[in-house]
């Protein structure tokens, strides 16, 4: 059995946690271990890159670097013995690289190079530790493995061919970085925040792993967001499609893109808790759980509503195609959409190109914009023939005004748009009415 294990920033956030991670890696017999940067690192690097782009002489850059030195040198001193100096030298080299890149900031190239250093340094330290424990461990450079093309798609054929030539010894623990990769120009790039999950799924798919394990600091996927809702519980198992919906619509434990590479090859994904390895966690596979009607709720903030009013829609064809072409041109995906005879309402989760989109849409009709919204997504066995289903859900909303509803595209989910100020109330109310009652 070839397993790919991924550990998040909290899981490798201290020397003590790294020891726990090493125990798990050995116990599971991991073929490949994918690591995030130590917790807090990426946020600091993002701040450094932002300061370098606007105020390269800022003393705050030095402060962030001092924090990173203290964090990593403390971990190295506690974790390593024989290879301690080797790790400290690598730390010095990393800090110098970040400082030099910030001083001579060259836009997105420098930003991506700076952001990559957390994963590179963390995986280097962990590999040294595994070797010190007497295990045969080899560090792989993720940017040498994961390449993106001009359309931001990962070249799976290249990844498979590279791994075939590198991974062959069953007695070796292969360690690599999550998140980082190489773009179509051959430069350092990344898979976006939370992309370490995706890295693990890509590698799992490329080696046809028996399973992919995502280790965090929570007992699997919960039925609701425990940051806002009381009395949530972990879900023992769910289908790929349900997990993908929840991840896309805000479930923070899993990166939205993780599911597809594993689904394509039928590789189960396990969500586990580094702090409690014996906890059951969540298994995501092709099998659906039909024991309950409602399985889980997730919420996605930062949603902008765009409403298009146009009499030209009436009894016309081709209008929606024109709308979609504008969003395609500006590389902005649409989350929800509803239509009437003379209006279209749709939502987006990024307003990076909003002004340009609105300018182009003005040729089609009157445009209205509403910000500060949240999509609440409920997943489960929502069969269309089931009587009283919509009534039960609406009763669970507890009178909160709904701006949009998307239902019927599949039998797995219903999405509802509310003002963000109502999010916590809606999540708690749905939890109390749909889950506490054992529906």
């Amino acid at each position: 059995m070839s397993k790919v294990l991924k550990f998040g920033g909290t899981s490798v956030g201290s020397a003590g946690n790294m020891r726990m991670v090493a125990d798990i890696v050995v116990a599971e017999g991991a073929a490949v271990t994918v690591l995030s940067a130590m917790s807090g690192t990426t946020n600091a690097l993002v701040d450094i890159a932002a300061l370098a782009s606007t105020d390269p002489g800022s003393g705050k850059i030095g402060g962030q670097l001092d924090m990173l030195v203290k964090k990593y040198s403390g971990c190295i001193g506690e974790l390593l013995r024989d290879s301690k100096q080797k790790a400290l030298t690598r730390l010095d080299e990393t800090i110098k690289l970040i400082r030099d890149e910030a001083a001579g900031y060259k836009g997105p190239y420098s930003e991506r190079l700076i952001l990559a250093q957390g994963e590179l340094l963390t995986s280097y330290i962990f590999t040294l530790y595994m070797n010190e424990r007497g295990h045969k461990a080899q560090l792989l450079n993720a940017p040498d493995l994961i390449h993106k093309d001009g359309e931001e798609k990962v070249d799976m054929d290249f990844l498979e061919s590279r791994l075939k030539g590198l991974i062959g010894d069953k007695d070796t623990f292969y360690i690599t970085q999550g998140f980082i990769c190489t773009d179509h120009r051959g430069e350092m790039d990344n898979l976006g925040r939370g992309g370490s999950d995706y890295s693990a799924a890509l590698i799992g798919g490329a080696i046809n792993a028996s399973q992919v394990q995502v280790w965090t600091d929570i007992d699997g996927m919960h039925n609701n967001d425990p940051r806002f809702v009381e009395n949530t519980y972990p879900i023992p198992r769910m289908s790929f499609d349900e997990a993908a919906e929840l991840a896309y619509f805000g479930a923070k434990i899993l990166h939205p893109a993780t599911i597809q590479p594993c689904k394509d090859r039928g590789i189960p994904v396990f969500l586990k808790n580094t702090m409690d390895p014996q906890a059951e966690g969540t298994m995501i596979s092709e099998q659906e759980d039909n024991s309950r009607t409602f399985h889980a709720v997730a919420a996605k903030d930062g949603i902008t509503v765009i409403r298009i009013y146009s009499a030209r829609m009436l009894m016309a064809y081709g209008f929606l195609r024109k709308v979609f072409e504008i969003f395609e041109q500006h590389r902005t995906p649409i989350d929800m959409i509803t239509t009437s005879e003379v209006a279209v309402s749709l939502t987006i989760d990024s307003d990076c190109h909003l002004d340009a989109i609105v300018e182009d849409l003005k040729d089609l009709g009157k445009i209205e914009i509403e910000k500060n919204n949240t999509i609440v997504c409920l997943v489960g066995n929502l069969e269309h023939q089931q009587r009283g289903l919509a009534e039960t859900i609406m009763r669970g909303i507890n009178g909160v005004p709904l701006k949009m509803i998307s239902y019927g595209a599949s039998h797995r989910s219903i999405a509802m748009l509310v003002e963000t100020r109502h999010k916590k109330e809606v999540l708690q109310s749905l939890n109390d009415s749909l889950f506490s009652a054992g529906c």
Side-chain angles (χ1 to χ4, degrees):
M1 292 179 65
S2 56
K3 300 177 182 179
V4 174
L5 275 61
K6 175 264 175 178
F7 293 88
T10 304
S11 296
V12 292
S14 67
N17 285 4
M18 285 197 187
R19 293 190 185 98
M20 289 192 292
V21 167
D23 290 340
I24 294 169
V25 167
V26 173
E28 293 289 338
V32 183
T33 299
V34 179
L35 301 181
S36 297
M38 289 181 70
S39 55
T41 304
T42 301
N43 287 339
L45 295 175
V46 167
D47 290 343
I48 289 170
L51 288 167
S53 68
T54 57
D55 185 13
S58 172
K60 293 181 180 179
I61 292 178
Q64 293 283 22
L65 289 173
D66 290 343
M67 182 275 290
L68 291 175
V69 169
K70 182 177 180 180
K71 183 181 188 69
Y72 278 88
S73 61
C75 175
I76 291 168
E78 186 178 343
L79 192 66
L80 301 175
R81 300 184 305 276
D82 299 338
S83 52
K84 176 180 176 180
Q85 190 54 52
K86 195 174 181 180
L88 289 173
T89 299
R90 177 61 177 267
L91 173 60
D92 290 342
E93 293 170 350
T94 299
I95 296 299
K96 182 178 185 304
L97 184 153
I98 296 171
R99 183 180 285 111
D100 290 347
E101 203 61 43
Y105 192 77
K106 296 183 284 292
Y109 170 83
S110 294
E111 179 184 18
R112 292 192 294 266
L113 191 59
I114 289 170
L115 294 186
Q117 299 311 309
E119 278 75 15
L120 290 168
L121 184 57
T122 301
S123 58
Y124 182 81
I125 294 168
F126 184 78
T127 304
L128 291 178
Y129 175 62
M130 287 290 288
N131 285 321
E132 279 202 4
R133 284 180 53 148
H135 303 294
K136 190 177 178 182
Q138 181 178 334
L139 182 62
L140 304 178
N141 187 45
D144 292 339
L145 309 174
I146 302 177
H147 286 191
K148 293 195 298 188
D149 62 22
E151 296 182 352
E152 297 290 295
K153 295 179 180 178
V154 173
D155 187 339
M156 284 299 293
D157 291 336
F158 178 81
L159 177 58
E160 288 179 17
S161 64
R162 289 288 293 163
L163 288 173
K164 280 182 181 178
L166 291 172
I167 297 177
D169 186 355
K170 294 183 179 179
D171 295 325
T172 298
F173 293 99
Y174 295 95
I175 316 295
T176 192
Q177 309 84 30
F179 177 62
I180 60 177
C181 62
T182 297
D183 67 12
H184 67 284
R185 296 179 294 269
E187 297 177 353
M188 183 71 77
D189 202 351
N190 60 66
L191 300 170
R193 291 300 292 261
S196 294
D197 294 349
Y198 191 30
S199 302
L202 290 166
I203 292 170
I207 68 171
N208 198 25
S210 59
Q211 58 184 250
V212 171
Q213 299 179 4
V214 176
W215 291 79
T216 63
D217 56 354
I218 189 171
D219 296 341
M221 183 86 78
H222 276 228
N223 70 305
N224 210 324
D225 194 330
R227 296 171 302 170
F228 302 102
V229 176
E230 297 178 353
N231 301 319
T232 66
Y233 56 81
I235 306 168
R237 56 192 174 92
M238 62 171 42
S239 69
F240 284 122
D241 290 335
E242 287 178 327
E245 293 254 17
L246 289 173
Y248 183 76
F249 284 109
K252 297 298 184 183
I253 191 173
L254 197 64
H255 187 275
T258 299
I259 299 301
Q260 198 60 46
C262 295
K263 180 184 177 182
D264 290 343
R265 291 165 173 77
I267 301 170
V269 177
F270 290 82
L271 308 181
K272 303 282 286 180
N273 186 350
T274 307
M275 313 309 163
D276 185 8
Q278 303 308 314
E280 182 179 3
T282 300
M283 181 183 76
I284 303 169
S285 68
E286 294 175 337
Q287 183 180 1
E288 295 196 16
D289 181 5
N290 297 316
S291 62
R292 298 173 64 100
T293 301
F294 305 110
H295 291 171
V297 180
K300 187 176 186 180
D301 295 330
I303 302 298
T304 298
V305 179
I306 302 175
R307 303 190 191 278
I308 309 163
Y309 298 93
S310 176
R312 280 179 282 172
M313 285 184 63
L314 189 62
M315 303 296 290
Y317 56 85
F319 186 86
L320 286 178
R321 174 180 57 80
K322 295 176 183 177
V323 172
F324 292 147
E325 284 176 347
I326 291 172
F327 285 87
E328 181 181 5
Q329 176 186 344
H330 295 288
R331 302 176 69 88
T332 301
I334 296 170
D335 290 320
M336 295 175 64
I337 181 167
T338 60
T339 66
S340 70
E341 285 298 328
V342 293
V344 178
S345 294
L346 51 84
T347 69
I348 57 176
D349 64 3
S350 171
D351 58 6
C352 294
H353 306 292
L354 181 60
D355 291 342
I357 290 171
V358 170
E359 190 62 33
D360 289 345
L361 287 174
K362 284 180 180 177
D363 293 335
L364 301 179
K366 178 186 174 183
I367 310 300
E368 289 183 358
I369 303 297
E370 298 176 6
K371 295 189 175 184
N372 300 317
N373 298 290
T374 294
I375 294 176
V376 176
C377 179
L378 172 65
V379 304
N381 296 310
L382 309 181
E383 296 293 344
H384 303 152
Q385 304 94 327
Q386 190 171 343
R387 289 177 179 269
L389 189 61
E391 179 186 359
T392 301
I393 295 171
M394 292 303 108
R395 197 164 51 238
I397 298 298
N398 197 29
V400 170
L402 295 181
K403 289 189 170 185
M404 291 174 64
I405 301 174
S406 177
Y407 176 55
S410 78
H411 66 272
R412 294 185 181 89
S413 68
I414 178 172
M416 298 160 283
L417 187 75
V418 300
E419 291 185 26
T420 299
R421 63 192 177 98
H422 295 308
K423 179 180 84 168
K424 184 174 180 180
E425 177 186 354
V426 170
L427 291 178
Q428 187 66 62
S429 181
L430 285 172
N431 203 69
D432 294 342
S433 64
L434 302 183
F435 302 111
S436 299
C439 295

